[in-house]
Amino acid sequence: MTTEQFVPYEMKTSIIHILSYEGKNLEGYLENAFFKGRRYFSNLTQMIFLVEELLDSMVFPPRATSMRSFKAGTAHRVTTAHKSVNADKPIASFRLSVLFRQNASWQGNIQWMDDRAVTPFRSVLELVQLMDSVLGQYDSQEEES
């Protein structure tokens, strides 16, 4: 029998600050009380693995399925990016609450902090599409095409 670990409310929500978004490549940092500070990322993959590492460390929400890999026993570790030059002024910020980890994905709510509207998402792909719907206006490469 497993015992559930208590996770304080403030650790169940992360803030994702986006510093730049060019060619659909985001750069920014994640804030969560569990990490005690900022964790920088320089692309979408790093951001996703950073959130996954956080969720695994807290064991909240618990995984419904185990991770699969081509190599047995391999685990992902995130190497965080160096601090960005423009770290003071995010172009957008999102409040992320992952409520479930089912079907090898996340389900939860995201809030664009400028708009205050909360939108549920059913997968990581849908989360990325919701973020892109906001960040697309900051993508200078998208405007050129």
Side-chain angles (χ1 to χ4, degrees), residues 18-31:
I18 306 301
L19 302 173
S20 69
Y21 193 70
E22 292 184 27
K24 296 203 181 286
N25 185 39
L26 52 80
E27 182 180 329
Y29 59 93
L30 175 79
E31 289 183 316

Side-chain angles (χ1 to χ4, degrees), residues 67-115:
M67 290 292 294
R68 299 189 306 164
S69 173
F70 283 110
K71 292 183 176 182
T74 57
H76 62 273
R77 288 308 268 168
V78 178
T79 305
T80 56
H82 297 288
K83 186 176 179 177
S84 174
V85 177
N86 192 21
D88 300 310
K89 186 77 172 128
I91 58 173
S93 296
F94 301 93
R95 185 178 313 275
L96 175 68
S97 298
V98 178
L99 304 174
F100 305 100
R101 292 195 290 171
Q102 299 173 341
N103 303 316
S105 195
W106 308 333
Q107 298 80 38
N109 298 308
I110 187 166
Q111 176 186 18
W112 177 28
M113 294 178 70
D114 289 351
D115 187 61

Side-chain angles (χ1 to χ4, degrees), residues 37-49:
R38 296 176 176 176
R39 294 286 178 100
Y40 289 86
F41 53 86
S42 60
N43 58 52
L44 178 62
T45 304
Q46 282 184 349
M47 185 198 82
I48 291 170
F49 280 130

